[in-house]
Amino acid sequence: MQIANLIGNLQSAICISSDALLSVVLAPSCAACDEPLLQPTRGPICDPCWRSVLPLTPPLCDRCGDPLPTWRVVSIPLACCARCRRTRRVLDRARAIGAYDGALRAIVQALKYEGRRSLARPLGRLMRERGADLLAGAACVVPVPLHPSRRRQRGFNQAADLAHHVGLPVVAALRRVRATATQTGLPAGRRHRNVRGAFAPTGAAAALTGSAIVLIDDVSTTGATLEACASALKAAGVQEVRALTAARVVTSPR
Ligand SMILES: [Zn+2]
Ligand SMILES: [Zn+2]
């Protein structure tokens, strides 16, 4: 018992001193807010930044997950935003940790563009918590694939990294058959055209016939990529396609 205590004390002493050492020697700063990290061994994001990542305020659109004006829920039985009622969507439901804004935006960008892959674990945990309803009853998660050339360039697929921490089996059921221009900066209509037919099911998709699956990606902007993925999976026989992303670009409630 005493030995166990001694080891415990030693471990915490080492931890504290390595934190202190890292702060002095490397002076690492938070990848989101740039303030010095008080506990650098706990990851590249400070506690205040993690605490500022708030869920989207309900009521949310049943389909896309955008916040709804509260009066709408009272007036119509199915809580759906104007855009979802106007447009026919292949994707059945979508949810995200929160809005693509503030610290969450900086955290996602640190994962994706700075190669901070350790962030996939805490982000995946938040996706699991805040997407619990969406994940319930799903057979597996399917990461949105990158084109092999983009994958080589980046060295990893952030969606696959996130998928591994969501708590369901990961099935690589999609592949990108066409390299697409980056969606960043394209207006909504062009985004949909840009990714149409860009995805195809892999051999693994055959096992998912008749089941419900959850697509995983880092950010949903107009939903064009997720829609294209959902189309490919439904054509392959998947019955229900939901999407869980780390963040969502929220259009103002209408
Ligand atoms: Zn911070
Ligand atoms: Zn909607």
Side-chain angles (χ1 to χ4, degrees):
M1 193 60 188
Q2 272 183 332
I3 292 174
N5 282 343
L6 190 70
I7 291 172
N9 288 340
L10 201 63
Q11 277 177 332
S12 49
I14 290 168
C15 194
I16 290 164
S17 60
S18 59
D19 263 9
L21 197 68
L22 276 172
S23 318
V24 174
V25 177
L26 302 171
S29 56
C30 169
C33 69
D34 228 21
E35 290 292 317
L37 282 172
L38 300 178
Q39 294 169 303
T41 52
R42 290 178 57 181
I45 303 294
C46 71
D47 283 349
C49 277
W50 278 120
R51 280 198 299 271
S52 74
V53 177
L54 301 175
L56 293 166
T57 316
L60 304 177
C61 170
D62 269 347
R63 290 189 75 97
C64 73
D66 263 358
L68 292 171
T70 41
W71 57 266
R72 182 147 280 156
V73 184
V74 183
S75 62
I76 56 167
L78 183 66
C80 239
C81 73
R83 204 168 52 163
C84 286
R85 276 182 288 125
R86 224 172 29 228
T87 330
R88 182 161 154 52
R89 290 181 187 277
V90 184
L91 199 60
D92 293 284
R93 290 183 70 203
R95 286 292 181 269
I97 295 173
Y100 189 53
D101 216 341
L104 184 56
R105 182 188 174 111
I107 294 168
V108 169
Q109 290 186 341
L111 163 69
K112 193 170 172 177
Y113 301 119
E114 294 169 28
R116 307 269 197 153
R117 296 179 70 181
S118 67
L119 289 172
R121 181 186 292 272
L123 280 173
R125 196 169 51 226
L126 274 175
M127 288 164 80
R128 194 167 67 218
E129 285 168 19
R130 296 192 187 167
D133 280 3
L134 194 99
L135 293 165
C140 65
V141 291
V142 175
V144 170
L146 291 178
H147 190 266
S149 60
R150 179 75 56 83
R151 165 80 179 67
R152 265 197 305 278
Q153 208 176 38
R154 188 167 294 159
F156 68 102
N157 175 3
Q158 69 282 357
D161 278 16
L162 291 168
H164 281 100
H165 297 290
V166 170
L168 285 180
V170 181
V171 178
L174 287 171
R175 63 196 170 90
R176 234 179 238 254
V177 286
R178 187 161 59 76
T180 50
T182 173
Q183 296 278 74
T184 313
L186 289 181
R190 290 274 304 282
R191 280 172 180 251
H192 282 271
R193 272 204 302 280
N194 187 35
V195 289
R196 194 171 295 150
F199 301 92
T202 64
L208 305 177
T209 305
S211 55
I213 69 99
V214 180
L215 284 167
I216 301 289
D217 208 358
D218 52 344
V219 183
S220 165
T221 305
T222 59
T225 300
L226 296 169
E227 279 289 307
C229 288
S231 297
L233 287 172
K234 286 202 170 171
V238 176
Q239 192 183 357
E240 192 182 329
V241 181
R242 313 168 191 167
L244 181 58
T245 56
R248 168 171 189 80
V249 174
V250 174
T251 45
S252 52
R254 275 162 292 169

